[in-house]
Amino acid sequence: MNDRFAMRIPDGWTRYDLTGGELATVAASETAAVEDPELRAGAEDGYRQAGELLRAMVRDGALAASGLIEMHDDGLLMAFAGVFGTTLPEGYRDDVALLLRPDGAARAGAGRTVTAVELPEAGAAVRVTSIERVPVSDDWTADMLTVNTFVAVPDRPGEHLVISCSTPNLQHADALTGLFDAITATFRFV
């Protein structure tokens, strides 16, 4: 994925070329193979949304991105995972425990859950799970389940990588939260 970190992505997911070139090629190939005009329009719309989301991720500093776009009888299933770099503001203590109250419960806003997690190969991390209205382009937003996991970069005080997983398929939130947890659990520094 990157020369600083690695993470296993499920079979069937696409590792995105952050330039968007590969996504455009896959979109053209996949949508051309769909004969039903209504299904093709749905697939084209899904790939358009994925392209807009990818461009938004790159604007936000994505270091790696992958995703799944599949047609099902009940519609399009979309899920994404990306890794972003971030630095804590000056004076902010780099301690997972400080993000939680002494009783171990999360400090969180309405509709947002914050928990401490232990990643098998990367150690202590903080996970923020919520439903967010995400700006995808200047004139388009989407309600998305977001699962963001903050991992401190070893030997680099204040620097974190954020494993950000999201989906607009809110009707499958429980199953996809489990999948996002499994993906994030494979994260490691190299």
Side-chain angles (χ1 to χ4, degrees):
M1 246 188 161
N2 186 292
D3 62 350
R4 293 173 38 187
F5 59 86
M7 187 169 66
R8 286 192 301 275
I9 301 301
D11 291 340
W13 282 49
T14 301
R15 289 183 192 270
Y16 295 132
D17 162 20
L18 293 179
T19 68
E22 288 178 23
L23 180 62
T25 300
V26 169
S29 171
E30 292 290 322
T31 57
V34 178
E35 293 181 19
D36 180 284
E38 191 172 312
L39 290 176
R40 183 177 17 254
E44 288 169 346
D45 185 55
Y47 277 109
R48 180 190 58 76
Q49 291 177 31
E52 290 178 6
L53 184 58
L54 180 62
R55 286 186 290 281
M57 290 174 74
V58 169
R59 279 192 308 272
D60 290 340
L63 303 171
S66 60
L68 170 72
I69 301 173
E70 285 184 346
M71 286 298 294
H72 291 267
D73 291 338
D74 64 343
L76 200 59
L77 175 64
M78 297 170 55
F80 305 95
V83 178
F84 299 81
T86 188
T87 302
L88 294 176
E90 187 69 33
Y92 193 92
R93 294 220 15 232
D94 191 8
D95 186 349
V96 170
L98 290 177
L99 296 174
L100 303 172
R101 294 193 313 243
D103 62 3
R107 275 192 234 160
R112 186 173 285 184
T113 303
V114 180
T115 55
V117 295
E118 185 72 23
L119 300 182
E121 298 185 60
V126 172
R127 177 161 297 147
V128 180
T129 303
S130 62
I131 304 296
E132 302 280 343
R133 178 145 293 166
V134 176
V136 177
S137 67
D138 291 338
D139 59 348
W140 181 64
T141 61
D143 288 337
M144 308 269 277
L145 164 67
T146 62
V147 180
N148 295 308
T149 305
F150 297 79
V151 183
V153 177
D155 302 321
R156 300 186 97 165
E159 289 189 29
H160 286 72
L161 293 182
V162 181
I163 304 136
S164 182
C165 301
S166 61
T167 181
N169 296 94
L170 301 181
Q171 70 276 24
H172 302 297
D174 289 340
L176 290 169
T177 298
L179 176 62
F180 295 158
D181 181 49
I183 291 169
T184 303
T186 69
F187 179 88
R188 71 184 193 289
F189 290 99
V190 293

